[in-house]
Amino acid sequence: RAEAQLRQLSSAVEQTADAVLITDREGNIQYVNRAFAESTGFAAAEAVGRKPNLLKSGEHEPQFYDRLWQSITAGQVFRAVFINRRKDGTIFHEEKTITPIRDPAGRITHFVSTGKDITERNRAERALRESEERLRLVIKGTSDGIWDWNIATRENYTSPRWKEILGYQEGELPGDDSAFFNLIHPEDKTVIDQAVKRHLDENVPYAVEFRMRHKDGSYHWMLTRGEAVRDEAGRPVRMVGSLSHIHERKQAEEALK
């Protein structure tokens, strides 16, 4: 039974998606699983007998490895993101946990390392941060206000610019859609509602000129454009768009008339 359990455990470790590496007390590699070979490019025969520094990339300071060794030799679990180098020279990021293993007498005899390759996740997160930063700069630099309306929750993100257009500071208006709609001229609310409905139901382009109340009590002409964001079933879940101040243009048109 013990042998059967050992074979079952060995099979599970060999087939796990995480890279597994086992060293002796001195750090000599005694075992690596299939996932280790696939993620690093080093076959078991190339890794066993060597030390884990065969993956060293040079990206970590010596103090990093000092902390690692001090922690695990003191019996503590060490967790960190390692910047390692594959056999072919490419760099990869690995989320790793190194656990000391003790014998029945409590002496540390081995270290078991499990690692998950997070290179693609890091790349995706970095791309997202860069995209968000570009969007932030665009929003900051544009002369138009930006809005993002969640149809289900009624939450309405609005960039600081549209509030500035109407004389408000950040934090002076609530975050739900009531702040936006309460400032619309009473005579124009029906126009807005109908335009939104036509866009959501019939996919008619959404572009409306209407008046909004400035902080000083006067009404200013605005132009809003937007588009629905739909789920996989085609149901609208959000609307995003811009808000432009066209008051001077409308005044010029009236004067021309």
Side-chain angles (χ1 to χ4, degrees):
R1 182 181 301 173
E3 290 178 355
Q5 290 176 338
L6 185 59
R7 286 195 298 272
Q8 185 178 27
L9 177 60
S10 176
S11 176
V13 172
E14 187 63 24
Q15 296 181 55
T16 184
D18 291 345
V20 178
L21 179 151
I22 300 176
T23 73
D24 62 17
R25 179 66 174 73
E26 285 69 42
N28 300 303
I29 299 174
Q30 295 189 328
Y31 168 82
V32 295
N33 70 344
R34 186 183 309 164
F36 173 91
E38 291 174 350
S39 65
T40 67
F42 288 99
E46 297 175 297
V48 171
R50 299 177 65 179
K51 293 185 182 293
N53 63 8
L54 85 165
L55 301 176
K56 214 168 183 179
S57 65
E59 298 291 333
H60 292 290
E61 296 291 334
Q63 294 84 351
F64 175 84
Y65 298 103
D66 291 342
R67 289 197 305 273
L68 185 166
W69 191 246
Q70 289 169 8
S71 296
I72 61 178
T73 54
Q76 301 170 354
V77 175
F78 184 83
R79 294 184 177 88
V81 173
F82 285 67
I83 306 174
N84 288 334
R85 188 182 302 276
R86 297 185 178 91
K87 182 180 178 181
D88 64 7
T90 57
I91 299 295
F92 71 104
H93 291 73
E94 187 176 28
E95 200 170 58
K96 189 184 287 289
T97 300
I98 303 175
T99 305
I101 303 298
R102 300 177 183 271
D103 63 13
R107 296 183 295 265
I108 296 174
T109 60
H110 295 81
F111 301 107
V112 176
S113 165
T114 58
K116 182 186 297 293
D117 189 336
I118 60 170
T119 308
E120 289 304 318
R121 188 184 80 187
N122 282 354
R123 185 176 293 118
E125 290 175 350
R126 185 169 59 253
L128 178 60
R129 288 194 299 270
E130 291 173 353
S131 177
E132 290 175 342
E133 177 63 11
R134 285 194 296 270
L135 178 59
R136 185 188 69 81
L137 292 174
V138 168
I139 291 175
K140 183 178 180 180
T142 184
S143 60
D144 292 344
I146 305 295
W147 52 267
D148 183 346
W149 179 45
N150 186 310
I151 296 173
T153 65
R154 312 295 292 184
E155 291 177 328
N156 188 39
Y157 164 78
T158 51
S159 66
R161 177 57 185 152
W162 86 267
K163 297 171 185 141
E164 291 173 5
I165 292 172
L166 295 173
Y168 294 93
Q169 299 297 319
E170 192 67 27
E172 288 190 313
L173 296 172
D176 58 21
D177 57 6
S178 64
F180 185 92
F181 292 109
N182 287 342
L183 295 177
I184 297 173
H185 194 288
E187 296 177 4
D188 297 337
K189 288 185 178 181
T190 301
V191 176
I192 293 283
D193 291 340
Q194 291 175 347
V196 170
K197 188 175 188 317
R198 284 197 304 271
H199 179 67
L200 297 180
D201 296 346
E202 306 169 30
N203 208 25
V204 174
Y206 180 72
V208 184
E209 295 182 356
F210 63 102
R211 291 161 291 179
M212 293 191 79
R213 188 174 69 250
H214 193 276
K215 188 177 180 179
D216 64 11
S218 63
Y219 280 94
H220 286 225
W221 279 99
M222 314 293 290
L223 167 64
T224 185
R225 293 187 176 92
E227 186 170 348
V229 178
R230 301 177 185 271
D231 61 17
E232 295 179 354
R235 294 183 295 262
V237 293
R238 292 163 51 209
M239 276 188 70
V240 295
S242 62
L243 192 71
S244 304
H245 187 256
I246 59 169
H247 194 65
E248 288 77 11
R249 192 200 80 192
K250 293 293 288 187
Q251 287 181 320
E253 289 175 356
E254 289 299 319
L256 183 61
K257 290 178 182 179

